[in-house]
């Protein structure tokens, strides 16, 4: 994140740019200078997740009630001294930064592999040096903060620009985050979250004015410096030779700076003593080796210009830079889109280098003015519905919906999944049919058969996927009793009975319409859990009865646990399979946010927020107990009322699964296969509703090639992307896991 090498340089070579401050004192000063204006700190939430997640346990899927308490304490510390907080979250990945996103995800895959290797070797959680954020943390943090009454916003692009713009336009006390881009933007003061002491509200302010003094630059020069050093827009390798030339001719290298620090000093020196000599006489591309990356470089410089700001280094904003306050990223609707069209390999670097978004802009003079903004191409043409979707997105009330409806593209980051475990599928595959039905609701299923209809580009991280291409996924038709209602009906209607229609649609997205009557008899706080478990067990037939017992017992026992009891819970050991099940369930909850918002919010989000239904350590304890064969009475801690609910919930899930020809059996009726998969003892054969057998050999989902193929409706059932037998309803019938 931010400018390459600048964080270390500021800490080692420019310590005077770091000033110790106290938020309480700053707030008092701000009130004196701006009477009637509440001191406001705008928070880059994505930078703060590691700071906020203080629970000791993290590998088991998240200690969500502890985490919620930590967020509550954070908010209270600021509001107690009269400081208003405004939180920003990243809303989507800009096309120009996709290559950076991919590199980070692939690096995370390596970190996850090391985590699972450690767990298998030591049967315990790794140290904090291997800490990895629990799945879904960013998504659920938005809802936690809204529950705490905080203003929480989701960006229409990467959040740093909107954070800087908000801070400047609203005369904020400052920005709280951990991104050196905030040293480059000409905006309100920037404070470090990593240096924050919550008890005293002491932290460090990083002063861009003092940085400029040290580098002999002006504030207007900082965007140019950032792009020459490399950032998330301009790859570091692009100007490697240029920086080497600057360093070779630089004669004032500081002894207290490392090589990287001296490179920064040398580039700053070149800007102040060479480039400024011809400033205003020559265009920047005449003084720098921009070559074919001219448009990209100007886009990078302009990306730091907040509304109303200009740069002496570019006379006018480059073509193709628009909208959303910062820049236009035009959306390709070509289903054959491939990100390679956005990248090239610079001769000075082995890294992929993003270039401008559309080929036609590469040949144009980036100094020309575009007379009117380009109109954004969207997947949905109904402006009224798009306006609602946009508002829900910005207010952090929905998840993924707006991205599907506008760009037809979504992404999901890494999940704690063991790439070497053949028995459990990736969440990317497990929840794809659910997503496909949501796409049908949002975009329409299309009438052109397998090759017609809209295509959604999914960037989902899973084992073996190099992320060179998105998965091209088509909507999957769903069966809603009475027909699928329009989005206007689901989102805007106030007619009597509309909530029932919304619930019908939600159940259809999960393919659980036949279970509606049983689900209505369940307490509202357990309805979502029953739906999610049913969906999960239908899709993944390597889950067994012991797993179901652990999931249900955990949810029931959580209701009676205090925060202290959850914090004090100790595990005998950590089981890697349970770690994956943790992640599957949490991702299940996050997918329900997507389904619930797409269907017009038939459920209250509080019914499936993880701090109300899930605790990682508690599930792990129940998993270990259930795996050892403990009775239901022991699993629910000898509580009679819980035991009754346990059997009721189990019965609902099992009956719903049987309707889908999924019989949940004990692990005692399975035997491990040498490949690491599981197979049933006996014939291993079941009949589907359409009469097709699930017996026989099939290609396992992990043996499938990653990502570049198109995914047709019904292409995947259970947890395999292999082909099966379509029934009369267009469903994909599964084939047995048995080899």
């Amino acid at each position: 994140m931010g400018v390459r090498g600048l964080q270390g340089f500021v800490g080692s070579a420019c310590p005077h740019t770091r000033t110790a401050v106290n938020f309480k004192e700053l707030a008092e000063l701000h009130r004196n200078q701006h009477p009637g204006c509440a001191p406001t700190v705008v928070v880059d939430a994505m930078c703060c997740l590691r700071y906020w997640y203080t629970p000791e346990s993290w590998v088991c899927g998240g200690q969500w009630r502890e985490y919620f308490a930590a967020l509550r304490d954070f908010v209270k510390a600021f509001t107690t001294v009269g400081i208003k907080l405004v939180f920003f979250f990243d809303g989507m990945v800009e096309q120009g930064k996709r290559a950076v996103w991919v590199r980070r995800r692939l690096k995370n895959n390596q970190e996850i592999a090391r985590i699972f290797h450690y767990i298998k070797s030591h049967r315990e959680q790794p140290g904090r040096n291997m800490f990895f954020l629990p799945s879904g943390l960013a998504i659920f943090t938005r809802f936690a903060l809204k529950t705490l009454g905080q203003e929480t916003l989701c960006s229409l692009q990467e959040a740093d620009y909107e954070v800087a713009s908000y801070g400047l336009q609203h005369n904020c006390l400052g920005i709280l985050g951990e991104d050196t881009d905030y040293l480059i933007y000409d905006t309100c003061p920037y404070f470090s979250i990593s240096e924050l002491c919550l008890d005293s509200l002491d932290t460090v302010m990083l002063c861009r004015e003092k940085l400029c003094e040290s580098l002999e630059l002006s504030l207007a020069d900082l965007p140019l410096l950032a792009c020459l050093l490399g950032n998330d827009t301009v790859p570091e390798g692009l100007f490697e030779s240029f920086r080497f030339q600057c360093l070779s001719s630089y004669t004032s290298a500081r002894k207290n700076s490392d090589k990287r620090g001296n490179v920064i000093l040398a580039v700053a020196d070149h800007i102040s003593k060479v480039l400024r000599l011809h400033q205003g006489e020559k265009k920047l591309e005449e003084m720098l080796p921009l070559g074919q990356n001219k448009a990209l470089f100007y886009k990078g410089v302009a990306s730091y210009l907040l509304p109303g700001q200009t740069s002496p280094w570019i006379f006018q904003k480059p073509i193709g830079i628009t909208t959303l306050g910062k820049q236009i990223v035009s959306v390709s609707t070509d289903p054959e889109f491939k990100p390679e069209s956005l990248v090239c390999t610079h001769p000075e670097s082995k890294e992929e280098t993003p270039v401008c978004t559309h080929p036609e802009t590469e040949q144009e003079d980036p100094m020309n003015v575009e007379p009117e903004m380009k109109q954004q191409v969207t997947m949905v043409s109904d402006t009224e519905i798009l306006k609602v979707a946009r508002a829900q997105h910005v207010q952090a009330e929905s998840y993924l919906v707006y991205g599907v409806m506008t760009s037809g593209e979504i992404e999901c980051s890494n999940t704690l999944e063991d790439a070497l475990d053949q028995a459990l599928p990736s969440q990317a595959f497990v929840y794809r049919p659910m997503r496909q039905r949501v796409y049908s609701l949002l975009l329409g299923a299309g009438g052109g058969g397998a090759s017609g209809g809209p295509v959604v580009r999914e960037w989902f991280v899973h084992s073996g996927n190099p992320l060179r291409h998105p998965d091209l996924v088509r909507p999957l038709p769903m069966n809603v009793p009475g027909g699928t209602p329009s989005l206007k009906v689901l989102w805007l209607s106030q007619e009597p009975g509309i909530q029932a229609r919304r619930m019908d649609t939600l159940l259809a997205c999960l393919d659980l319409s036949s279970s509606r009557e049983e689900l209505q008899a369940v307490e509202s706080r357990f309805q979502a859990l029953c739906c999610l478990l049913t969906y999960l067990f239908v899709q993944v037939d390597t889950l067994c009865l012991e797993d179901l017992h652990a999931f249900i017992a955990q949810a029931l026992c959580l209701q009676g646990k205090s925060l202290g009891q959850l914090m004090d819970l100790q595990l005998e050991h950590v089981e890697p399979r349970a770690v994956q099940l943790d992640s599957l369930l949490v991702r299940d909850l996050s997918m329900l946010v997507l389904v619930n918002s797409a269907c017009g919010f038939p459920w209250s989000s509080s019914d499936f927020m993880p701090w109300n239904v899930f605790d990682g350590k508690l599930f792990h304890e129940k998993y270990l107990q259930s795996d050892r064969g403990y009775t239901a009475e022991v699993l629910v801690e000898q509580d009679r009322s819980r035991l009754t609910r346990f059997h009721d919930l189990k019965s609902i899930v099992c009956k719903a699964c049987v309707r889908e020809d999924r019989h949940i059996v004990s692990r005692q009726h399975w035997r491990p296969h040498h490949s690491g998969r599981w197979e049933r003892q006996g014939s291993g054969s079941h009949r589907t509703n359409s009469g097709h057998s699930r017996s026989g050999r099939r290609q396992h989902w992990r043996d499938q090639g990653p990502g570049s193929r198109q995914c047709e409706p019904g292409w995947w059932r259970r947890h395999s992307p292999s082909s099966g037998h379509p029934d009369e309803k267009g469903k994909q019938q599964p084939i047995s896991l048995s080899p």
Side-chain angles (χ1 to χ4, degrees):
M1 290 171 57
V3 183
R4 306 296 184 262
L6 189 58
Q7 186 78 35
F9 174 78
V10 168
S12 61
C14 299
H16 60 286
T17 64
R18 297 165 51 88
T19 304
V21 295
N22 179 270
F23 273 118
K24 184 176 180 180
E25 296 173 359
L26 291 174
E28 193 62 37
L29 180 62
H30 188 276
R31 275 188 287 267
N32 292 335
Q33 295 176 344
H34 307 279
C37 179
T40 301
V41 172
V42 54
V43 183
D44 186 337
M46 302 302 289
C47 294
C48 300
L49 295 177
R50 287 177 177 268
Y51 176 89
W52 288 332
Y53 192 86
T54 56
E56 180 182 346
S57 176
W58 50 270
V59 81
C60 294
Q63 303 309 111
W64 292 96
R65 201 174 285 178
E66 288 183 59
Y67 181 64
F68 187 88
L71 289 176
R72 184 177 56 225
D73 291 343
F74 179 87
V75 169
K76 183 179 179 181
F78 283 88
T79 55
T80 298
V81 298
I83 295 177
K84 177 185 176 182
L85 298 173
V86 177
F87 297 87
F88 273 86
F89 288 81
D90 280 332
M92 53 189 67
V93 178
E94 295 177 8
Q95 287 297 343
K97 297 186 179 182
R98 178 62 70 187
V100 175
W101 185 89
V102 167
R103 282 198 295 271
R104 289 173 180 164
R105 303 293 77 77
L106 296 178
K107 181 181 177 182
N108 287 346
N109 279 343
Q110 297 174 354
E111 296 171 358
I112 290 172
R114 287 194 292 269
I115 290 171
F116 275 102
H117 177 75
Y118 185 95
I119 294 172
K120 293 173 184 178
S121 301
H122 299 83
R123 304 186 79 199
E124 65 182 16
Q125 174 179 281
R128 192 77 178 189
N129 62 311
M130 297 178 71
F131 173 70
F132 198 86
L133 292 176
S135 299
L137 194 70
I139 301 164
F140 292 116
T141 301
R142 304 177 196 172
F143 288 90
L145 291 169
K146 292 181 77 67
T147 300
L148 292 168
Q150 298 304 293
E151 185 174 352
T152 307
L153 303 172
C154 194
S155 69
L156 293 165
Q157 56 204 44
E158 290 207 35
D160 58 354
Y161 180 88
E162 293 192 18
V163 167
S165 179
Y166 187 99
L168 178 65
Q169 294 181 349
H170 292 81
N171 195 26
C172 290
L173 181 63
I175 293 168
L176 185 60
E178 204 69 33
D179 188 336
T180 47
D181 275 337
Y182 295 127
L183 273 172
I184 306 301
Y185 288 110
D186 187 3
T187 183
C188 60
Y190 161 41
F191 305 105
S192 169
I193 182 64
S194 65
E195 304 279 355
L196 175 65
C197 174
L198 196 59
D199 291 336
S200 63
L201 288 181
D202 291 329
T203 189
V204 167
M205 179 178 71
L206 293 96
C207 181
R208 59 185 69 90
E209 287 79 9
K210 292 183 179 179
L211 175 63
C212 287
E213 291 176 9
S214 178
L215 298 176
E216 298 182 4
L217 298 176
S218 68
L219 288 174
D221 297 329
L222 292 179
L224 176 61
L225 174 69
C227 292
L228 291 174
L229 294 176
N231 55 23
D232 285 350
T233 300
V234 182
E236 185 178 12
L238 199 63
F239 290 100
E240 186 175 354
S241 296
F242 170 77
R243 290 193 298 272
F244 179 78
Q245 293 172 5
C246 291
L247 186 61
S248 299
S249 60
Y250 184 56
T251 58
S252 304
R254 297 183 185 177
K255 295 180 180 179
N256 62 337
S257 291
D258 56 14
K259 181 180 178 180
R260 182 72 199 185
N262 280 320
V263 167
I264 294 175
L265 291 168
V267 173
D269 184 70
H270 185 83
I271 292 172
S272 63
K273 294 179 179 166
V274 178
L275 298 184
R276 277 190 189 154
L277 290 177
H278 306 287
Q279 188 175 10
E281 300 174 3
K282 296 182 179 180
K283 292 183 178 181
L284 199 54
E285 64 264 27
E286 297 175 15
M287 298 185 283
L288 293 173
L290 300 184
Q292 63 177 343
N293 297 291
K294 179 171 61 174
L296 173 68
F297 185 79
Y298 279 115
K299 176 182 175 181
V301 174
S303 70
Y304 288 107
L305 302 182
L306 303 179
Q309 295 180 348
T310 59
S311 169
W313 296 104
I314 50 177
F315 300 113
Q316 294 159 335
K317 281 192 176 182
I319 194 165
I321 294 181
T322 64
T323 56
L324 310 185
K326 177 182 179 184
Q327 59 200 34
I328 251 189
V329 179
S330 298
V331 178
S332 171
T333 55
D334 180 7
E336 298 301 323
F337 163 90
K338 292 181 176 61
E340 291 95 316
S341 64
L342 304 183
V343 298
C344 69
T345 303
H346 193 271
E348 299 170 4
S349 171
K350 295 182 180 179
E351 290 190 80
E352 289 184 331
T353 303
V355 296
C356 58
T357 342
H358 275 297
E360 63 266 24
T361 63
E362 295 179 15
Q363 306 301 322
E364 297 180 85
D365 185 352
M367 304 310 297
N368 289 341
V369 178
E370 194 169 31
E372 296 181 5
M373 293 193 313
K374 293 181 179 178
Q375 294 298 312
Q376 186 181 21
V377 179
T378 62
M379 302 285 284
V380 175
S381 59
D382 190 323
T383 55
E384 183 181 15
I385 285 297
L386 282 175
K387 184 177 180 181
V388 175
R390 185 182 188 275
Q392 291 176 352
H393 173 90
V394 170
Q395 295 300 319
E397 296 170 351
S398 65
Y399 172 56
L400 299 180
V401 169
Y402 188 65
V404 171
M405 298 178 72
T406 53
S407 67
E409 184 170 49
I410 62 172
E411 58 275 323
C412 182
S413 188
N414 305 77
T415 302
L416 279 180
E417 296 173 341
D418 185 4
L420 301 179
D421 183 358
Q422 292 277 308
L424 287 174
S426 169
Q427 62 90 16
F429 294 128
V430 172
Y431 304 116
R432 179 169 283 170
M434 185 191 300
R435 296 194 301 273
Q436 286 178 282
R437 295 186 185 98
V438 172
Y439 302 157
S440 176
L441 181 63
L442 298 177
L443 306 177
S451 60
V455 173
V456 176
R457 299 187 296 273
E458 290 189 344
W459 295 90
F460 273 62
V461 182
H462 57 82
S463 175
N465 184 7
L467 295 172
R468 296 193 187 100
H469 316 266
D471 283 317
L472 305 180
V473 181
R474 296 188 185 277
L476 184 64
M478 57 183 182
N479 299 306
V480 182
T484 304
S486 69
L487 292 181
K488 282 190 175 180
V489 169
L490 289 173
W491 293 8
L492 303 177
S493 175
Q494 301 296 325
E495 294 295 320
I498 187 60
Q499 277 299 91
R501 294 286 285 146
R502 289 167 180 153
M503 180 58 70
D504 286 340
T505 308
L506 182 146
L507 292 177
C509 288
L510 302 179
D511 202 18
L512 295 177
S513 297
S514 60
S515 299
R516 194 185 200 286
E517 187 175 341
E518 290 95 332
L519 290 168
Q520 282 182 319
V522 178
E523 297 173 64
S524 59
R525 58 178 173 168
F526 294 126
Q527 282 186 5
L529 178 69
C530 285
C531 287
L532 296 180
L533 291 179
T534 302
Y535 179 90
L536 183 59
F537 275 75
V538 168
Q539 296 297 326
V540 185
D541 57 8
T542 51
L543 295 176
C544 61
L545 201 58
E546 288 80 1
D547 300 327
L548 180 61
H549 289 174
F551 279 126
I552 296 176
Q554 179 276 148
L556 292 172
C557 291
L558 178 62
Q559 309 302 317
K561 299 289 185 184
S562 68
L563 178 60
Q565 288 174 315
L566 294 172
M567 295 176 67
D568 292 340
L569 185 62
Q570 298 296 317
L571 299 174
E572 289 187 14
H573 69 274
V574 173
E575 180 64 37
R577 185 173 183 273
V579 170
Q580 293 197 84
L581 294 183
D582 288 328
S583 297
L584 269 178
L585 183 67
V586 173
R587 286 298 188 194
D588 207 342
L589 294 171
S590 68
M591 284 297 104
L592 193 52
V593 177
L594 165 65
V595 178
N596 194 50
S597 53
C599 296
F601 305 97
W603 271 329
S604 168
S605 62
S606 63
D607 288 337
F608 53 89
M609 289 297 107
W611 49 88
N612 291 330
V613 298
F614 181 78
D615 179 89
K617 278 195 299 183
L618 184 59
F619 170 77
H620 222 91
E621 179 186 68
K622 299 305 175 185
Y623 176 90
L624 296 175
Q625 292 174 350
S626 183
D627 190 51
R628 291 173 181 170
Y630 283 28
T631 64
E633 289 85 352
V634 175
L635 291 177
V636 298
E637 300 171 4
Q638 311 294 339
D639 186 293
R640 287 190 176 184
S641 62
R642 288 181 197 160
L643 184 60
T644 300
R645 287 195 184 96
F646 177 94
H647 288 300
D648 289 343
L649 299 180
K650 175 183 173 181
S651 175
I652 289 172
V653 173
C654 289
K655 286 180 180 178
C657 287
V658 167
R659 291 193 191 97
E660 296 295 320
D661 196 33
R662 167 68 162 103
H663 299 267
I664 307 174
V665 297
S666 170
R667 186 171 295 139
Q668 297 173 2
H669 300 291
W670 297 60
R671 62 183 176 84
H673 187 261
H674 68 275
S675 67
R677 309 169 195 172
W678 291 88
E679 63 176 355
R680 290 187 177 90
Q681 293 178 334
S683 66
S685 175
H686 290 276
R687 304 293 292 182
T688 67
N689 291 335
S690 59
H692 298 293
S693 173
R694 293 196 297 124
S695 62
R697 188 178 184 87
R698 81 172 185 190
Q699 186 177 13
H700 194 265
W701 72 272
R702 286 195 188 275
D703 298 330
Q704 296 289 323
S708 60
R709 64 188 178 281
Q710 287 199 15
C711 306
E712 307 297 347
W715 74 283
W716 181 87
R717 182 69 171 170
R718 294 285 169 90
H719 59 268
S720 174
S722 61
S723 60
H725 308 287
D727 68 4
E728 70 276 8
K729 296 181 181 178
K731 297 179 181 178
Q732 192 73 11
Q733 294 299 328
I735 308 171
S736 173
L737 269 178
S738 303

